[in-house]
Amino acid sequence: MRFNVAQLLKRATGSSRRYQMREGVEDLDLELVIREPLVGQIEMVRTVDGILVRGELTTALELRCDRCLEPLIQEVEFKIEEEFRPALDMSTGAQLPYDEEEMRIDEHHIIDLTELIRQSIFLALPMHPVCRLNCFGFCDRCGQNLNEGACDCSESMVDPRLEILRKLK
Ligand SMILES: [Zn+2]
Ligand SMILES: [Zn+2]
């Protein structure tokens, strides 16, 4: 996800370029199981100080259901919007000062979107993914996945007083 922006940096403020993105990102982060390529459109706009990167992207990840712990595929859609500032002054070639937090265009005029996209995916993930809206989860006594059927625990948890009534019938 590296883009050479040397040409765009030479253009007037407001100039822009668009890129169609379709890229495999399976190796983006060890904690993420990414199952679909990253797809979307990116726009880069020359600003006074650098380049503004905007985009709308989608991918799909494998997560675990918060209730039953079964794997599920979650589509993730997110936007990015970040200004990258050059490490070097384009006209003099001098090193420009910067703070650590900033996204940088490196000294070879490359914008690397990897870190921005990695962070954006984490932010876009649902806090409590569920495999289906009415997932029953699993029994906290025997561990049975209750979507696959009821376990015997629920019966043995019947109130003994009700059990007596049932026998009287
Ligand atoms: Zn579930
Ligand atoms: Zn059970």
Side-chain angles (χ1 to χ4, degrees):
M1 283 177 281
R2 292 159 59 83
F3 297 82
N4 190 316
V5 293
Q7 292 307 312
L8 188 54
L9 280 171
K10 288 176 195 157
R11 300 262 195 84
T13 303
S15 306
S16 69
R17 272 196 187 176
R18 284 174 178 274
Y19 300 87
Q20 278 299 331
M21 200 144 137
R22 184 179 178 87
E23 194 158 327
V25 286
E26 297 83 5
D27 303 329
L28 190 61
D29 190 286
L30 283 175
E31 282 183 39
L32 299 175
V33 184
I34 299 177
R35 290 303 173 101
E36 292 288 336
L38 191 64
V39 178
Q41 205 172 59
I42 301 250
E43 185 184 26
M44 299 204 180
V45 184
R46 178 70 164 112
T47 59
V48 177
D49 293 325
I51 287 177
L52 177 68
V53 179
R54 281 197 293 234
E56 288 192 37
L57 299 160
T58 59
T59 182
L61 283 82
E62 185 177 316
L63 303 175
R64 279 191 185 281
C65 174
D66 212 36
R67 296 185 198 153
C68 70
L69 305 182
E70 290 294 317
L72 61 93
I73 299 295
Q74 173 82 47
E75 196 167 295
V76 175
E77 252 184 85
F78 59 96
K79 288 185 181 176
I80 53 173
E81 179 159 350
E82 188 78 36
E83 188 174 29
F84 286 70
R85 302 176 72 161
L88 301 179
D89 185 300
M90 278 304 274
S91 44
T92 66
Q95 197 92 31
L96 293 169
Y98 73 103
D99 66 76
E100 295 281 322
E101 300 289 297
E102 240 172 37
M103 294 284 178
R104 302 289 286 175
I105 303 166
D106 77 10
E107 54 277 19
H108 307 292
H109 316 301
I110 301 288
I111 282 182
D112 187 346
L113 293 181
T114 310
E115 182 55 21
L116 177 60
I117 285 171
R118 197 183 69 82
Q119 290 177 13
S120 304
I121 289 178
F122 272 104
L123 289 175
L125 290 180
M127 298 274 275
H128 302 287
V130 283
C131 63
R132 61 190 100 175
L133 279 177
N134 59 346
C135 171
F136 294 118
F138 58 89
C139 171
D140 53 12
R141 295 181 83 191
C142 70
Q144 157 91 6
N145 183 337
L146 298 175
N147 296 312
E148 289 163 5
C151 59
D152 299 329
C153 305
S154 49
E155 279 186 22
S156 59
M157 280 191 290
V158 167
D159 186 320
R161 285 166 298 180
L162 291 176
E163 194 65 14
I164 291 165
L165 286 175
R166 193 185 294 171
K167 279 175 189 157
L168 289 176
K169 268 187 215 169

